[in-house]
Amino acid sequence: MSITVSSLQEDINSPNHPLYLHQQDHPGLILISKKLTGFDNYSSWRRSIMIVLNAKNKLKIVTGERTEPDAISNIKALWERTNDMIISWILNTVTDQISNSLNLVSNAAELWKELQEHYAQLDGHTIFQLANEITKLKQEGNSVEIYYRKLKGFWDEMDALEAPYTCTYTCNCENGRTSGERDQRKKVISVSHGIG
């Protein structure tokens, strides 16, 4: 008898199932050491928590891809338990001030959406500062590797600020290619400007 990937994913006792909780999972678990403090670190916090939630196979619950089952479903209680666990994990990684305003949210996807709507707003001042840092960055006495790491860090932060919403589609159209090529040209220009 062969076992398919889809049957493994639907086995609630399998670690591949989004509702599966490991025996070491508990509400007090702190998934990342970085705490969300506000607008200033939302992008990096979001990226870190998404990586961990994906590694624990819980990201689909947070993004709403795995929705709450009907009241008569045999996995409703398990979904509620997993949902509450995820809410606890997220609240453990935000400051008390932020956490106190979110304590009444009872759905992990709603909590995620509320955080995104509140903190993912584009901050023109921060984008301007990053663009300025990229322009001012010089290799000077640093190795190319150190210079590139600093520059890439700025680019990654800029990308996170300018594209806070995850797109699940792969774009192969002409506009997508042109936009990507334009971004690459900007990066090449900033690299050639800073080396020397």
Side-chain angles (χ1 to χ4, degrees):
M1 179 176 159
S2 66
I3 298 174
T4 64
V5 173
S6 61
S7 65
L8 275 177
Q9 290 172 340
E10 288 310 312
D11 176 8
I12 60 173
N13 296 315
S14 167
N16 296 317
H17 196 282
L19 300 180
Y20 173 83
L21 290 171
H22 191 273
Q23 62 186 7
Q24 292 179 349
D25 289 337
H26 59 87
L29 189 63
I30 297 174
L31 299 180
I32 58 172
S33 59
K34 180 185 306 187
K35 282 204 177 237
L36 173 63
T37 58
F39 296 101
D40 57 329
N41 76 332
Y42 173 76
S43 295
S44 60
W45 171 86
R46 179 180 181 269
R47 177 74 180 132
S48 297
I49 196 80
M50 283 179 74
I51 289 168
V52 175
L53 288 170
N54 191 49
K56 292 183 93 35
N57 201 19
K58 304 294 181 260
L59 191 58
K60 287 185 177 183
I61 296 171
V62 170
T63 60
E65 291 176 63
R66 182 75 184 211
T67 57
E68 182 174 357
D70 295 331
I72 59 170
S73 172
N74 61 344
I75 61 168
K76 172 76 171 174
L78 182 57
W79 186 92
E80 288 174 343
R81 183 174 159 229
T82 305
N83 176 69
D84 288 346
M85 191 75 73
I86 295 168
I87 289 172
S88 296
W89 293 342
I90 292 173
L91 292 179
N92 290 342
T93 66
V94 301
T95 62
D96 290 343
Q97 183 179 5
I98 294 170
S99 176
N100 291 338
S101 67
L102 299 168
N103 279 332
L104 298 178
V105 179
S106 61
N107 182 293
E110 288 173 18
L111 174 63
W112 188 253
K113 184 178 178 185
E114 191 166 324
L115 286 167
Q116 183 165 302
E117 286 175 354
H118 188 75
Y119 293 105
Q121 300 172 17
L122 286 179
D123 181 357
H125 178 70
T126 305
I127 290 172
F128 174 79
Q129 281 183 319
L130 276 172
N132 196 30
E133 291 293 328
I134 290 170
T135 305
K136 289 188 324 185
L137 186 65
K138 302 274 187 221
Q139 182 183 357
E140 296 171 342
N142 294 320
S143 69
V144 173
E145 181 181 353
I146 291 172
Y147 168 71
Y148 176 74
R149 283 285 138 223
K150 286 181 183 178
L151 189 58
K152 181 152 182 357
F154 288 138
W155 287 334
D156 291 347
E157 195 172 345
M158 182 77 86
D159 288 345
L161 282 171
E162 289 186 327
Y165 303 104
T166 305
C167 179
T168 57
Y169 299 101
T170 304
C171 181
N172 291 321
C173 68
E174 187 61 35
N175 287 339
R177 280 192 297 279
T178 302
S179 179
E181 290 167 2
R182 187 179 318 127
D183 288 345
Q184 282 304 111
R185 280 195 300 275
K186 282 193 241 179
K187 289 177 180 180
V188 168
I189 290 168
S190 66
V191 168
S192 61
H193 172 74
I195 293 178

